[in-house]
Amino acid sequence: MQYKRRWLAVVALGLSLFLSALDATIVALALPPIAQHFQLSDSLASAVTLSYAIPLTVLILPAGGLVGRFRTLPTFLISVVGFGLGSLTCGLAPNFALLIVGRVVQGCFGAVIGTQAIAVAAAVVSPGERGRAMGLVGALAPLGGVAGPGIGGLLLARFGWSSIFFVNVPVCLLAALLGIFSLRDVRLGDRQSGSVYGQMAGLLRRPPFLWGLLAFFCSVTASTALYFLLPFDLSAVQHIAPAHAGLILLCVPLGMGVMGTLGGYLTDRYGAPPFLLAGSGLLLVGLIALTLIVRSPTAELDLSWRLLLSGIGIGLFTSPNQTRLMSTGARETMGAASALSNLVSRLGSVCGPLVLGLVWTFLASFSAQMTMGILLIDGFALLNLLFAWLSLQRSARGILKEEEPEPA
């Protein structure tokens, strides 16, 4: 079934995903004023971040079952409005305990938002439009994550730390309004659908899905590790002013956003395989180009094109890969596929900086840290290309096996 207002639905879902990603990073700059306001130690202030991240990660898989069993519109409205109420609780919190409660509420509903957005966006469009839907939704998530620090800095400078939570409320209301007009009568499955964990196990037993999921994990790990390493390079090696450094860092999400949307269109028109491999290859080439200059100063323009190429590679890979992941099973399994994809994205975002941080503890010199850091990122990009190729090989073998004539 094709929905008349499917693209309005995709925008509503993408906006909710933007909101969830925005809140994951916008709080980072507000931690010092929050700690000062509530007279907290630095270690205790980190609970503001963890109280959002932990439920957001833990509840991703159960959220996959919720979005598949219940009607889409009520689930969407409850999650978006619940996220907005959690934001209001944080902004109005008179004490630290209530602030943490609000962050936990945000994380719980954020898990549902992140899982539902990808699954429903894939379901409301026809298979021939799925690439464009994944490209649009996939472009808004990194945009939210990257925009967080910039928007947070502007709000903190003018209105104080509470404003970073209040800004979520109008976005929640807009997403809810768009959802009311576009998500009626949309449903992924029914109450009699099988266990979401059984569906996940079934998907993971399919080699194209498993290899595609591993490729996605490696691309997210490489991109987040790159964002962990780049500030050190820009300040200590390139000696670039913070204002210029922020603009240069935008080259990666710029490439991701533009090529993610274009990659979705190309996937619908020509199929996923060529762009899946091209995106993985461009990411590896862009990172190798960065490896050549990461230890020596270079011109800002020279650094920018290398980052832009890496972002283009990520964007070109993500849209066709997400399209293939969401098209592997039946409509009823899209919630499970989305939950696994969302979980892998969360794990990759943690794994990248964690691996670099652990390796750096064993290296004394800054030069060795930068060299090993970029080589590790190159390694994840190489694995991304390998797993993407394996997913296509396994898929092709499955098609050939189905087409083989039965013996007489």
Side-chain angles (χ1 to χ4, degrees), residues 328-343:
T328 299
R331 180 187 179 91
E332 290 74 17
T333 64
M334 284 185 175
S338 178
L340 287 171
S341 174
N342 197 12
L343 178 63

Side-chain angles (χ1 to χ4, degrees), residues 103 178 330 376:
R103 291 291 284 168
L178 293 176
L376 283 170

Side-chain angles (χ1 to χ4, degrees), residues 62 69 101 113 122 159 300 335 358 379:
R69 281 182 185 275
V101 170
I113 287 173
F159 306 108
E300 294 180 7
L358 289 175

Side-chain angles (χ1 to χ4, degrees), residues 319-339:
S319 295
N321 189 66
Q322 284 292 89
T323 303
R324 283 171 57 84
L325 289 177
M326 298 308 299
S327 303
T328 299
R331 180 187 179 91
E332 290 74 17
T333 64
M334 284 185 175
S338 178

Side-chain angles (χ1 to χ4, degrees), residues 15-84:
L15 193 60
S16 70
L17 198 60
F18 171 87
L19 181 68
S20 177
L22 175 75
D23 213 73
T25 58
I26 196 173
V27 176
L29 291 176
L31 288 180
I34 289 175
Q36 183 179 6
H37 179 81
F38 292 110
Q39 298 181 341
L40 307 172
S41 64
D42 292 341
S43 58
L44 194 57
S46 65
V48 177
T49 300
L50 293 176
S51 58
Y52 178 81
I54 291 175
L56 181 66
T57 304
V58 171
L59 295 178
I60 285 175
L61 296 186
L66 289 176
V67 301
R69 281 182 185 275
F70 300 103
R71 291 182 60 183
T72 297
L73 181 57
T75 306
F76 178 77
L77 291 178
I78 290 171
S79 61
V80 170
V81 172
F83 192 92

Side-chain angles (χ1 to χ4, degrees), residues 241-256:
H244 288 175
L247 291 175
I248 291 173
L249 287 174
L250 289 176
C251 290
V252 176
L254 175 63
M256 292 171 64

Side-chain angles (χ1 to χ4, degrees), residues 190-201:
D190 53 51
R191 294 178 183 272
Q192 284 72 43
S193 299
S195 166
V196 67
Y197 299 106
Q199 293 173 356
M200 291 176 189

